């Protein structure tokens, strides 16, 4: 389930429209890298946490278009990386790592 911005209503993730519309709620939540590092995307901000310790090690603004979520540096001048959904619905980063969805927060 994904929390929508429409009054906090929960909807099935597969009901999020795919195509030309930009729906940032599809990216919302915490995603784990294979090494245990956790990426959190909340509204228009991303956070990166160390594996197991949940200590924040980086953050910045996120920009979205129909293809991806772009993780920007704190000056918004260049992308740190990008994440996108592949044809199977998996979240992939720009280096090809598959991220596992953990939930809306790392404490769930």
């Amino acid at each position: 389930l994904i929390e929508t911005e429409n009054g906090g209503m929960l909807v099935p993730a597969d009901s999020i429209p795919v195509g030309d519309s930009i729906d940032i709620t599809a990216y919302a939540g915490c995603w784990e890298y294979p090494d245990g590092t956790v990426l959190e995307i909340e509204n228009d901000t991303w956070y990166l946490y160390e594996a197991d310790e949940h200590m924040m090690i980086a953050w910045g603004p996120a920009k979205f278009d129909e293809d991806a979520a772009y993780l920007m540096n704190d000056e918004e001048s260049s992308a740190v990386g990008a994440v996108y959904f592949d044809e199977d619905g998996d979240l992939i980063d720009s280096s090809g790592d598959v991220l596992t969805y953990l939930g809306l927060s790392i404490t769930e």
Side-chain angles (χ1 to χ4, degrees):
L1 294 175
I2 300 281
E3 183 176 80
T4 68
E5 293 183 20
N6 186 12
M9 180 175 58
L10 294 176
V11 298
D14 59 0
S15 72
I16 300 294
V18 177
D20 293 335
S21 64
I22 302 169
D23 190 344
I24 66 173
T25 60
Y27 294 96
C30 294
W31 303 85
E32 185 174 26
Y33 280 91
D35 69 357
T37 305
V38 175
L39 169 67
E40 179 181 18
I41 299 175
E42 182 179 297
N43 298 320
D44 59 355
T45 306
W46 64 271
Y47 307 91
L48 191 63
Y49 298 93
E50 285 184 359
D52 301 323
E53 295 180 27
H54 301 299
M55 186 165 106
M56 189 180 356
I57 54 176
W59 68 274
K63 303 290 182 185
F64 303 87
D65 68 16
E66 64 274 2
D67 296 322
Y70 301 93
L71 312 178
M72 310 295 286
N73 65 19
D74 57 354
E75 291 114 23
E76 296 188 40
S77 60
S78 64
V80 174
V83 292
Y84 58 92
F85 290 100
D86 68 6
E87 62 277 352
D88 297 323
D90 295 320
L91 191 63
I92 310 291
D93 75 358
S94 51
S95 47
D97 288 329
V98 177
L99 287 73
T100 304
Y101 182 70
L102 298 176
L104 290 177
S105 75
I106 53 178
T107 59
E108 286 184 345

